[in-house]
Amino acid sequence: DVKVTQSSRYLVKRTGEKVFLECVQDMDHENMFWYRQDPGLGLRLIYFSYDVKMKEKGDIPEGYSVSREKKERFSLILESASTNQTSMYLCASSLFSGAGELFFGEGSRLTVL
Amino acid sequence: GESVGLHLPTLSVQEGDNSIINCAYSNSASDYFIWYKQESGKGPQFIIDIRSNMDKRQGQRVTVLLNKTVKHLSLQIAATQPGDSAVYFCAVHNSNSGYALNFGKGTSLLVTP
């Protein structure tokens, strides 16, 4: 089975702190994604990566950056956390480009005070 | 772009009844459709998918129907069980969205005894 592991299930950070959310997948997938999930808004794409060191902006990239130094690892970075970034963050990976199943991690719930 | 919406944010059904969850999409170029189930505190899990060259696909207790004429997608769950209580998302891919899936906002299914 594909496993997507997010390193932190729950984090509490203060405004202005730098935050790293780590994600690792074990199925040699080319594509990895970061979504945020908020009540009433569903899942919104922040960034995705289709290859090592490659990244593409999603729908809401402002305030975020990403890093993909190795194929299995995709990190989401909040350079200076703000309260409106309090959310559930979901990492996903996929074998196919676009028209294929996404495999999700369990999520990281971030609270910014 | 793609707009993906669900007709009802919540749905309550009795155990043993059949459930139908609906989803509408806007882009006639959409070519791949997928349903996810998300239980409380967990990441979304794949249920079933369908490509645009089909109009029906069946899994174990689940059926997905695709009506491209009216751009409508439905998930039918037979003999709904308490373990089916979750939030259900449809996700849609079209050729313009590249690598990404566009998600609906979710329908919360509550199964009552």
Side-chain angles (χ1 to χ4, degrees):
Chain A
D1 282 349
V2 176
K3 191 158 186 189
V4 179
T5 303
Q6 295 184 229
S7 56
S8 303
R9 291 296 308 274
Y10 301 95
L11 302 95
V12 179
K13 298 292 181 180
R14 296 203 175 274
T15 301
E17 281 193 81
K18 191 168 185 176
V19 181
F20 291 88
L21 299 179
E22 305 285 343
C23 175
V24 177
Q25 50 95 3
D26 65 359
M27 281 301 292
D28 203 34
H29 284 175
E30 301 288 339
N31 310 299
M32 296 189 75
F33 305 79
W34 276 106
Y35 286 86
R36 68 175 279 178
Q37 183 176 26
D38 300 288
L41 297 177
L43 278 73
R44 294 179 292 166
L45 181 65
I46 305 171
Y47 267 97
F48 65 96
S49 169
Y50 52 89
D51 201 354
V52 175
K53 297 193 185 295
M54 306 302 289
K55 60 185 180 184
E56 292 284 343
K57 293 180 180 179
D59 299 320
I60 51 164
E62 296 78 19
Y64 303 95
S65 62
V66 290
S67 173
R68 185 122 181 248
E69 296 297 318
K70 293 185 178 181
K71 190 175 186 179
E72 67 271 17
R73 188 180 296 270
F74 192 35
S75 302
L76 180 69
I77 303 154
L78 288 67
E79 293 288 342
S80 178
S82 62
T83 54
N84 63 11
Q85 292 178 309
T86 292
S87 187
M88 170 70 86
Y89 290 88
L90 290 164
C91 175
S93 72
S94 73
L95 180 60
F96 300 107
S97 303
E101 180 185 350
L102 290 179
F103 295 86
F104 283 90
E106 295 287 88
S108 298
R109 183 164 293 282
L110 171 67
T111 301
V112 183
L113 302 175
Chain B
E2 174 84 72
S3 170
V4 181
L6 281 162
H7 292 192
L8 282 176
T10 59
L11 177 65
S12 182
V13 299
Q14 279 202 305
E15 183 177 356
D17 287 352
N18 296 334
S19 303
I20 300 176
I21 301 171
N22 296 302
C23 185
Y25 61 97
S26 63
N27 193 326
S28 56
S30 297
D31 57 6
Y32 177 70
F33 309 84
I34 189 168
W35 282 99
Y36 282 94
K37 173 186 180 183
Q38 186 176 25
E39 297 176 84
S40 181
K42 296 186 176 182
Q45 291 180 294
F46 171 89
I47 302 173
I48 193 168
D49 61 358
I50 189 168
R51 298 195 181 272
S52 57
N53 61 351
M54 302 173 69
D55 53 21
K56 180 179 179 179
R57 192 165 186 223
Q58 289 184 288
Q60 189 177 13
R61 283 202 305 118
V62 295
T63 301
V64 56
L65 298 177
L66 176 63
N67 186 329
K68 294 181 287 293
T69 303
V70 295
K71 302 192 201 60
H72 183 270
L73 182 70
S74 69
L75 176 70
Q76 300 179 1
I77 304 173
T80 313
Q81 301 169 358
D84 295 326
S85 292
V87 178
Y88 291 81
F89 294 93
C90 65
V92 178
H93 175 267
N94 62 66
S95 55
N96 294 328
S97 59
Y99 291 84
L101 292 172
N102 295 296
F103 283 82
K105 292 180 174 49
T107 288
S108 178
L109 176 66
L110 176 64
V111 181
T112 57

